[in-house]
Amino acid sequence: MNDLTIENPYSVGNIEGFTPCISHLMTMMNYVRMTTIQSVEGLSVEQLDFQFSETSNSIGALLAHIAATEKWFQVYTFEDRKMSDEEKVDLIPALDLGMPGREKIKGNPLEYYIDELDKNRNYIFSEFKKRNDEWLLTDKEFPEGLKSNNYFNWFHAFEDEINHRGQMRLIRKMQKKI
């Protein structure tokens, strides 16, 4: 898990040194990450690489996607810009998944993915410490002329993780039947 230990992952509340809304966001993000890690505990490389069809994603690819998505949101929210094509080159297989992800994301032990997730989360929380609720609620451009804010963007990042965690659990169940 990341460097910031939260006493009770089942209670959204304030964290010393962080503003209230950022604290609440962080407790939710920690809970989601904790349950994601629990859902993949003990998986072998073979299980992480398993694909139930030639067009499906593996659990390893989904974990890499979660990490890549967080990296994208780091640039978008902390640097207030979109990633350049050059910056995305190494992330494309994990961001887009599909064939590039199936070809390139495999052969890694669980620790590899957890280390990537932890590095991202530690960086995110260190950046959150530099910011306040006003920053969290700052408007940003969103597709179709709509507005979002940094709060929504980080909610969207961990909401994506929740979605993919569900896929990982389904893949684990499918592995048991094969």
Side-chain angles (χ1 to χ4, degrees):
M1 210 55 181
N2 60 64
D3 290 340
L4 179 68
T5 302
I6 293 176
E7 265 183 56
N8 182 356
Y10 307 108
S11 179
V12 175
N14 294 331
I15 302 169
E16 189 176 329
F18 294 89
T19 58
C21 289
I22 288 178
S23 294
H24 299 170
L25 178 62
M26 289 170 61
T27 57
M28 290 183 280
M29 291 173 77
N30 262 356
Y31 172 78
V32 169
R33 182 56 48 83
M34 178 188 77
T35 55
T36 296
I37 299 301
Q38 288 172 345
S39 73
V40 298
E41 278 180 332
L43 291 182
S44 66
V45 172
E46 182 180 52
Q47 291 170 307
L48 290 165
D49 290 348
F50 172 80
Q51 294 173 236
F52 61 87
S53 76
E54 52 184 58
T55 59
S56 68
N57 294 305
S58 67
I59 291 173
L62 294 170
L63 290 168
H65 175 75
I66 292 166
T69 299
E70 284 191 343
K71 286 180 183 177
W72 189 92
F73 276 104
Q74 289 170 18
V75 171
Y76 185 62
T77 61
F78 300 142
E79 298 178 30
D80 199 27
R81 64 180 181 84
K82 292 185 179 175
M83 249 184 203
S84 70
D85 290 340
E86 296 81 34
E87 289 172 305
K88 286 194 283 187
V89 167
D90 292 336
L91 296 179
I92 290 293
L95 279 174
D96 293 348
L97 294 172
M99 187 57 71
R102 286 188 285 281
E103 290 174 356
K104 294 184 178 185
I105 304 170
K106 55 187 169 186
N108 301 306
L110 182 58
E111 295 76 26
Y112 167 83
Y113 299 107
I114 291 174
D115 287 347
E116 281 298 304
L117 292 168
D118 283 349
K119 279 192 286 186
N120 278 348
R121 192 51 60 86
N122 289 331
Y123 176 74
I124 291 164
F125 286 179
S126 73
E127 288 296 313
F128 280 171
K129 192 157 190 81
K130 300 174 189 175
R131 289 164 171 78
N132 59 29
D133 291 348
E134 184 179 327
W135 170 85
L136 197 62
L137 299 170
T138 299
D139 282 339
K140 299 185 82 65
E141 290 299 318
F142 203 68
E144 301 168 15
L146 300 172
K147 298 269 186 210
S148 71
N149 58 31
N150 291 319
Y151 206 154
F152 174 82
N153 290 310
W154 283 107
F155 159 76
H156 185 52
F158 80 79
E159 176 262 342
D160 186 65
E161 180 171 342
I162 293 168
N163 177 49
H164 293 305
R165 184 184 63 225
Q167 292 174 316
M168 289 183 254
R169 287 178 174 164
L170 180 62
I171 294 167
R172 281 194 82 161
K173 286 180 183 178
M174 293 175 89
Q175 288 175 347
K176 290 178 184 176
K177 293 182 179 189
I178 293 176

